[in-house]
Amino acid sequence: MDGLDPRATHGGTEPILDDGRGTVAGGAPAGAFDPWRYRDEAGVASADLTGYKVEATDGAIGKIDRASHEVDDSYLVVDTGPWIFGKKVMLPAGTVNHVDHDARTVHVDREKDQIKAAPEYDESSHADPGYRDRLGGYYGEKHSALPPDVPPRA
């Protein structure tokens, strides 16, 4: 069996974070979906996204009214304007696919119907753990087009 050269460098110079599960500071472990954290590759960083347009996979849904960058508690509040009759929706940060800062547009990887059918946003209860659990579960990695309690459209 060949021995390792003790003078050789093995591995990278970057520190291993999060018990070596393949994450970098500020992101979810590689392969894991965390609804309340922006993906490292999304290009959000600490940019102020207020006023950016939001695009679902099948079209525009509105503009960002408020954006949070809190650790493990990041989200967007989107004013949908006339699209859903002035309703606001809360999108967990994990739904953000990428940001085009030149076009001031945030792209989310969910469809308009899924966003429209999401648990209703309520300014007074958005921090409630029960609401956040429902919303995070609804937008989870293995999401469906509609929530389980809504029958498919004919």
Side-chain angles (χ1 to χ4, degrees), residues 2-111:
D2 293 330
L4 294 174
D5 182 350
R7 295 174 305 232
T9 302
H10 301 283
T13 58
E14 296 298 314
I16 296 175
L17 301 175
D18 209 5
D19 299 318
R21 292 181 288 173
T23 182
V24 294
F33 177 80
D34 183 345
W36 305 108
R37 294 173 87 175
Y38 291 106
R39 300 174 204 171
D40 294 325
E41 67 275 10
V44 175
S46 60
D48 180 10
L49 301 175
T50 305
Y52 277 41
K53 295 176 282 183
V54 181
E55 289 278 332
T57 59
D58 56 351
I61 63 166
K63 287 191 175 187
I64 297 174
D65 189 48
R66 183 175 50 183
S68 164
H69 292 286
E70 300 297 319
V71 175
D72 296 330
D73 189 25
S74 298
Y75 58 87
L76 304 173
V77 175
V78 180
D79 184 347
T80 63
W83 175 58
I84 320 179
F85 307 109
K87 178 178 165 183
K88 290 185 180 182
V89 295
M90 184 168 154
L91 297 174
T95 63
V96 175
N97 182 285
H98 70 279
V99 178
D100 181 341
H101 293 286
D102 292 334
R104 295 183 47 86
T105 303
V106 173
H107 296 268
V108 296
D109 59 4
R110 301 301 191 264
E111 295 176 354

Side-chain angles (χ1 to χ4, degrees), residues 113 146 150-154:
D113 280 347
L146 294 172
V150 175
R153 294 180 190 172

